[in-house]
Amino acid sequence: AMRGAAAPGGGGAFRSISELNPYQQRFTIKARVTAKGPMRTWNKPTSSGNLFSVDLLDGSGEIRGTFFKEVADKVFPLLEEGKVYVFQETSGRLKPSNKQYTSIPHEFEVTFGNVTVEPADDDGAIARIVGDWKKISMFADGGGPREGNVDIVGVIKAAFPAGQITSKRTGQELTKREVVLCDDSGYDVRLTFWGELALRDDAFFEAQPVLAAKGLRVSDFGGVSLSSGFGSQLIFDGQEDPESLR
């Protein structure tokens, strides 16, 4: 039997994200979009197209979802980060999750096919973000990981001016901004934002917002530092209590 509340349109019940697996192509989920990536395009001799990815969260867990081509064009303008939607899918494909691109622990990720998306009431039942929150003090005295991802809640204590760099790999111009993130363990760490986020005005950072950040990349470049990437989820808040995020 399917568990959960009734789904609209006679689609039976909502399926829990944690239960999604490759043996079902038809399912209806109600989930919060905790992260929405940019539309990306590819051009190869054999094919071209566009895609974007989202992170979806419900009360049972989280999964990475990707939309391609016409479906991506249709759904991209409908989805807003932080909002809750009902996704009704009849031809979805689930494949093993690529951990290179996501810190979500779900065994699978979903490629949406014939999907309809409807906004849903946000009754607060689905958390805004769920993380395995760590203290910055774990990096003290050369401790802590030097690669992989980490989830941290902290205050942006200081921000440096945004600047341009050229990517060695792609030759693209990138905007970056470094900030200093500190938490109640009394330690701080450098954190780099890229792109649109780096271009937010100085006043935004000078207000010392609280940041709940899931999936920050750890690197050991000139001492440990963190950076946000495609797979990161970020919630900025003036007076967020980390406990209420769990």
Side-chain angles (χ1 to χ4, degrees), residues 161-215:
Q164 302 284 330
I165 64 160
T166 304
S167 163
K168 286 194 179 73
R169 201 166 54 85
T170 64
Q172 244 182 329
E173 278 273 292
L174 301 169
T175 306
K176 67 178 281 193
R177 185 194 288 265
E178 289 197 348
V179 302
V180 179
L181 187 69
C182 67
D183 68 8
D184 57 11
S185 70
Y187 287 84
D188 57 43
V189 67
R190 280 181 307 138
L191 166 61
T192 303
F193 294 122
W194 299 93
E196 278 175 36
L197 200 53
L199 288 167
R200 284 199 180 179
D201 61 7
D202 294 343
F204 173 80
F205 295 107
E206 282 161 9
Q208 298 193 321
V210 172
L211 169 64
K214 177 189 172 85

Coordinates of all heavy atoms in Angstrom, one line a residue, residues 161-215:
P161 N 35.8 42.5 -1.0 CA 35.2 43.0 -2.3 C 35.1 41.8 -3.3 O 36.0 41.0 -3.3 CB 36.1 44.1 -2.8 CG 36.9 44.5 -1.6 CD 37.0 43.3 -0.7
A162 N 34.1 41.9 -4.1 CA 34.0 40.9 -5.2 C 35.1 41.2 -6.2 O 35.5 42.3 -6.4 CB 32.6 41.0 -5.9
G163 N 35.5 40.1 -6.9 CA 36.6 40.3 -7.9 C 36.4 39.3 -9.0 O 35.6 38.3 -8.9
Q164 N 37.1 39.5 -10.1 CA 37.0 38.6 -11.3 C 38.2 37.8 -11.4 O 39.3 38.2 -11.1 CB 36.9 39.5 -12.6 CG 35.8 40.5 -12.7 CD 34.5 39.8 -13.0 OE1 34.5 38.7 -13.7 NE2 33.4 40.3 -12.5
I165 N 38.0 36.5 -11.7 CA 39.2 35.6 -12.1 C 38.8 34.9 -13.3 O 37.7 34.8 -13.7 CB 39.5 34.6 -10.9 CG1 38.4 33.6 -10.7 CG2 39.9 35.3 -9.7 CD1 38.9 32.4 -10.0
T166 N 39.9 34.4 -14.0 CA 39.7 33.6 -15.2 C 39.9 32.2 -14.9 O 41.0 31.8 -14.3 CB 40.6 34.1 -16.4 OG1 40.4 35.5 -16.6 CG2 40.3 33.4 -17.6
S167 N 38.9 31.3 -15.2 CA 39.1 29.9 -14.9 C 40.2 29.3 -15.8 O 40.2 29.5 -17.0 CB 37.7 29.2 -15.2 OG 37.9 27.8 -15.3
K168 N 41.1 28.6 -15.1 CA 42.2 28.0 -15.9 C 41.7 26.9 -16.8 O 42.2 26.6 -17.8 CB 43.2 27.4 -14.9 CG 44.1 28.4 -14.2 CD 45.3 27.7 -13.5 CE 46.2 28.7 -12.8 NZ 45.6 29.2 -11.6
R169 N 40.6 26.2 -16.3 CA 40.1 25.1 -17.0 C 39.3 25.5 -18.2 O 39.5 24.9 -19.3 CB 39.2 24.3 -16.0 CG 39.0 22.8 -16.4 CD 38.4 22.0 -15.2 NE 37.2 22.7 -14.7 CZ 36.0 22.4 -15.3 NH1 35.8 21.6 -16.3 NH2 34.9 23.0 -14.8
T170 N 38.4 26.5 -18.1 CA 37.5 26.8 -19.2 C 37.8 28.1 -19.9 O 37.3 28.4 -20.9 CB 36.1 26.9 -18.7 OG1 36.0 28.0 -17.7 CG2 35.6 25.6 -18.0
G171 N 38.7 28.9 -19.2 CA 39.0 30.3 -19.8 C 37.9 31.3 -19.6 O 37.9 32.4 -20.1
Q172 N 36.8 30.9 -18.8 CA 35.7 31.7 -18.5 C 36.0 32.7 -17.5 O 36.7 32.5 -16.5 CB 34.5 30.8 -18.0 CG 33.3 30.8 -18.9 CD 32.2 30.0 -18.3 OE1 32.5 29.0 -17.6 NE2 31.0 30.3 -18.5
E173 N 35.4 33.9 -17.6 CA 35.5 34.9 -16.5 C 34.5 34.6 -15.4 O 33.3 34.3 -15.7 CB 35.1 36.3 -17.1 CG 36.2 37.0 -17.8 CD 37.1 37.9 -16.9 OE1 36.6 38.9 -16.3 OE2 38.2 37.5 -16.7
L174 N 35.0 34.5 -14.2 CA 34.2 34.2 -13.1 C 34.2 35.3 -12.0 O 35.3 35.8 -11.8 CB 34.6 32.8 -12.4 CG 34.6 31.6 -13.3 CD1 35.4 30.5 -12.6 CD2 33.2 31.2 -13.6
T175 N 33.1 35.5 -11.4 CA 33.1 36.5 -10.2 C 33.1 35.7 -9.0 O 32.4 34.7 -8.8 CB 31.8 37.3 -10.3 OG1 31.7 37.9 -11.5 CG2 31.8 38.4 -9.2
K176 N 34.0 36.1 -8.1 CA 34.1 35.4 -6.8 C 34.1 36.5 -5.6 O 34.5 37.6 -5.8 CB 35.4 34.5 -6.7 CG 36.7 35.3 -6.7 CD 37.9 34.3 -6.6 CE 38.1 33.9 -5.2 NZ 39.4 33.2 -5.0
R177 N 33.7 36.0 -4.5 CA 33.8 36.9 -3.3 C 34.1 36.0 -2.1 O 33.4 35.0 -1.9 CB 32.5 37.6 -3.0 CG 32.6 38.6 -1.9 CD 31.2 39.1 -1.4 NE 30.5 40.0 -2.3 CZ 30.6 41.3 -2.2 NH1 31.4 41.9 -1.3 NH2 29.9 42.1 -3.0
E178 N 35.1 36.4 -1.3 CA 35.5 35.7 -0.1 C 34.8 36.3 1.1 O 34.8 37.6 1.2 CB 37.0 35.6 0.0 CG 37.7 34.7 -1.0 CD 39.1 34.3 -0.5 OE1 39.6 34.9 0.4 OE2 39.6 33.4 -1.2
V179 N 34.3 35.5 2.0 CA 33.8 36.0 3.3 C 34.4 35.2 4.4 O 35.1 34.2 4.2 CB 32.3 35.9 3.3 CG1 31.6 36.7 2.2 CG2 31.8 34.5 3.4
V180 N 34.3 35.7 5.6 CA 34.7 35.0 6.8 C 33.5 34.5 7.5 O 32.6 35.3 7.9 CB 35.6 35.9 7.7 CG1 36.0 35.2 9.0 CG2 36.8 36.5 7.0
L181 N 33.4 33.2 7.7 CA 32.3 32.6 8.4 C 32.7 32.1 9.8 O 33.7 31.5 9.9 CB 31.8 31.4 7.5 CG 30.5 30.7 8.0 CD1 29.3 31.6 7.7 CD2 30.4 29.4 7.2
C182 N 31.9 32.5 10.8 CA 32.3 32.1 12.1 C 31.0 31.5 12.8 O 29.9 31.7 12.4 CB 32.8 33.2 13.0 SG 31.6 34.5 13.4
D183 N 31.3 30.6 13.8 CA 30.1 30.0 14.5 C 30.4 30.1 16.0 O 31.4 30.6 16.4 CB 29.8 28.6 14.0 CG 30.9 27.6 14.3 OD1 31.8 27.9 15.1 OD2 30.8 26.4 13.8
D184 N 29.5 29.5 16.7 CA 29.5 29.6 18.2 C 30.6 28.7 18.8 O 30.8 28.7 20.0 CB 28.2 29.3 18.8 CG 27.6 27.9 18.5 OD1 28.4 27.1 17.9 OD2 26.4 27.7 18.8
S185 N 31.4 28.0 18.0 CA 32.6 27.3 18.5 C 33.7 28.3 18.7 O 34.8 27.9 19.2 CB 33.0 26.2 17.6 OG 33.5 26.7 16.4
G186 N 33.6 29.5 18.2 CA 34.6 30.5 18.4 C 35.6 30.5 17.3 O 36.6 31.3 17.3
Y187 N 35.5 29.7 16.3 CA 36.4 29.6 15.2 C 35.8 30.2 13.9 O 34.6 30.3 13.8 CB 36.8 28.1 14.9 CG 37.7 27.6 16.0 CD1 37.2 27.1 17.2 CD2 39.1 27.6 15.8 CE1 38.1 26.6 18.2 CE2 40.0 27.1 16.8 CZ 39.4 26.6 18.0 OH 40.3 26.1 19.0
D188 N 36.7 30.6 13.0 CA 36.2 31.0 11.7 C 36.9 30.4 10.5 O 38.0 29.7 10.7 CB 36.2 32.6 11.6 CG 37.6 33.2 11.8 OD1 38.5 32.6 11.2 OD2 37.6 34.2 12.5
V189 N 36.4 30.5 9.3 CA 37.0 29.9 8.1 C 36.6 30.8 6.9 O 35.6 31.5 6.9 CB 36.4 28.4 8.0 CG1 34.9 28.5 7.7 CG2 37.2 27.6 6.9
R190 N 37.5 30.7 5.9 CA 37.2 31.5 4.7 C 36.2 30.7 3.8 O 36.3 29.5 3.7 CB 38.5 31.6 3.9 CG 39.4 32.8 4.4 CD 40.6 32.9 3.5 NE 41.3 31.6 3.4 CZ 41.8 31.1 2.2 NH1 41.8 31.8 1.1 NH2 42.5 30.0 2.2
L191 N 35.3 31.4 3.3 CA 34.3 30.8 2.4 C 34.2 31.6 1.1 O 34.1 32.9 1.2 CB 32.9 30.8 3.1 CG 31.7 30.5 2.3 CD1 31.7 29.1 1.7 CD2 30.4 30.6 3.2
T192 N 34.2 31.0 0.0 CA 34.1 31.7 -1.3 C 32.7 31.4 -2.0 O 32.2 30.3 -2.0 CB 35.2 31.1 -2.3 OG1 36.5 31.3 -1.7 CG2 35.2 31.9 -3.6
F193 N 32.1 32.5 -2.4 CA 30.9 32.5 -3.2 C 31.3 32.8 -4.6 O 32.2 33.6 -4.9 CB 29.9 33.5 -2.7 CG 29.3 33.3 -1.4 CD1 29.5 34.2 -0.4 CD2 28.7 32.1 -1.0 CE1 29.0 34.0 0.9 CE2 28.2 31.9 0.2 CZ 28.3 32.8 1.2
W194 N 30.5 32.3 -5.6 CA 30.7 32.5 -7.0 C 29.5 33.0 -7.7 O 28.4 32.9 -7.3 CB 31.1 31.1 -7.7 CG 32.3 30.5 -7.1 CD1 32.4 29.6 -6.1 CD2 33.7 30.8 -7.5 NE1 33.7 29.2 -5.8 CE2 34.5 30.0 -6.7 CE3 34.3 31.6 -8.4 CZ2 35.9 30.0 -6.8 CZ3 35.7 31.6 -8.5 CH2 36.4 30.8 -7.7
G195 N 29.7 33.7 -8.8 CA 28.6 34.1 -9.7 C 27.7 35.1 -9.1 O 28.1 36.1 -8.4
E196 N 26.4 34.9 -9.3 CA 25.4 35.9 -8.8 C 25.5 36.1 -7.3 O 25.3 37.3 -6.9 CB 24.0 35.3 -9.1 CG 23.5 35.6 -10.6 CD 22.2 34.9 -10.9 OE1 21.3 34.9 -10.0 OE2 22.0 34.4 -12.0
L197 N 25.8 35.1 -6.6 CA 25.8 35.2 -5.1 C 27.0 36.2 -4.7 O 26.8 37.0 -3.8 CB 26.1 33.8 -4.5 CG 25.7 33.6 -3.1 CD1 24.3 34.1 -2.8 CD2 25.9 32.2 -2.7
A198 N 28.1 36.1 -5.4 CA 29.2 37.0 -5.2 C 28.9 38.4 -5.5 O 29.5 39.3 -4.9 CB 30.4 36.5 -6.0
L199 N 27.9 38.6 -6.4 CA 27.6 40.0 -6.9 C 26.5 40.7 -6.0 O 26.2 41.8 -6.2 CB 27.1 39.9 -8.3 CG 28.2 39.7 -9.3 CD1 27.6 39.3 -10.7 CD2 29.2 40.9 -9.4
R200 N 26.0 40.0 -5.0 CA 25.0 40.6 -4.1 C 25.7 41.9 -3.5 O 26.9 41.9 -3.3 CB 24.6 39.7 -3.0 CG 23.6 38.6 -3.4 CD 22.9 38.0 -2.2 NE 22.0 37.0 -2.7 CZ 21.2 36.3 -1.9 NH1 21.3 36.5 -0.6 NH2 20.4 35.4 -2.4
D201 N 24.9 42.9 -3.2 CA 25.6 44.1 -2.8 C 26.3 44.0 -1.4 O 25.9 43.2 -0.6 CB 24.6 45.3 -2.8 CG 23.4 45.1 -1.9 OD1 23.4 44.2 -1.1 OD2 22.5 46.0 -1.9
D202 N 27.2 44.9 -1.2 CA 28.0 44.9 0.0 C 27.2 44.9 1.3 O 27.5 44.3 2.3 CB 29.1 46.0 0.0 CG 30.1 45.9 -1.1 OD1 30.2 44.7 -1.6 OD2 30.8 46.8 -1.4
A203 N 26.1 45.7 1.2 CA 25.2 45.9 2.4 C 24.7 44.6 2.9 O 24.5 44.4 4.1 CB 24.1 46.9 2.1
F204 N 24.4 43.7 1.9 CA 23.8 42.4 2.3 C 24.8 41.6 3.2 O 24.4 41.1 4.2 CB 23.6 41.6 1.0 CG 23.1 40.1 1.2 CD1 21.8 39.8 1.6 CD2 24.0 39.1 1.2 CE1 21.4 38.5 1.8 CE2 23.7 37.8 1.4 CZ 22.4 37.5 1.8
F205 N 26.1 41.7 2.8 CA 27.1 40.9 3.6 C 27.4 41.7 4.9 O 27.7 41.1 5.9 CB 28.3 40.7 2.8 CG 28.1 39.7 1.6 CD1 28.0 40.2 0.3 CD2 27.9 38.4 1.8 CE1 27.8 39.4 -0.7 CE2 27.6 37.5 0.8 CZ 27.6 38.0 -0.5
E206 N 27.4 43.1 4.8 CA 27.8 43.9 6.0 C 26.8 43.7 7.1 O 27.1 44.0 8.3 CB 27.9 45.4 5.6 CG 29.2 45.6 4.8 CD 29.2 46.9 4.0 OE1 28.2 47.7 4.2 OE2 30.1 47.2 3.3
A207 N 25.5 43.3 6.8 CA 24.5 43.1 7.8 C 24.8 41.8 8.6 O 24.0 41.5 9.5 CB 23.1 43.0 7.1
Q208 N 25.9 41.1 8.3 CA 26.3 39.9 9.0 C 25.2 38.9 9.1 O 24.8 38.5 10.2 CB 26.8 40.3 10.4 CG 28.1 41.2 10.3 CD 28.8 41.3 11.6 OE1 28.2 41.4 12.7 NE2 30.1 41.3 11.6
P209 N 24.6 38.5 7.9 CA 23.6 37.5 8.0 C 24.0 36.1 8.5 O 25.2 35.8 8.4 CB 23.2 37.3 6.5 CG 24.4 37.7 5.7 CD 25.1 38.8 6.5
V210 N 23.1 35.4 9.1 CA 23.3 34.0 9.5 C 23.2 33.2 8.2 O 22.2 33.4 7.4 CB 22.3 33.6 10.6 CG1 22.5 32.1 10.8 CG2 22.6 34.3 11.9
L211 N 24.0 32.2 8.0 CA 24.0 31.3 6.9 C 23.9 29.9 7.3 O 24.7 29.4 8.1 CB 25.3 31.5 6.0 CG 25.5 30.5 4.9 CD1 24.4 30.6 3.8 CD2 26.9 30.7 4.2
A212 N 22.9 29.2 6.8 CA 22.8 27.7 6.9 C 23.3 27.2 5.6 O 22.6 27.4 4.6 CB 21.4 27.3 7.3
A213 N 24.4 26.5 5.5 CA 25.0 26.1 4.3 C 25.2 24.6 4.3 O 25.9 24.0 5.1 CB 26.3 26.8 4.0
K214 N 24.5 23.9 3.3 CA 24.7 22.5 3.2 C 25.5 22.2 1.9 O 25.3 22.8 0.9 CB 23.3 21.9 3.0 CG 23.2 20.4 2.8 CD 21.8 20.0 2.4 CE 21.7 18.5 2.0 NZ 21.6 17.6 3.2
G215 N 26.5 21.3 2.0 CA 27.2 20.8 0.9 C 28.3 21.9 0.4 O 28.5 22.0 -0.8

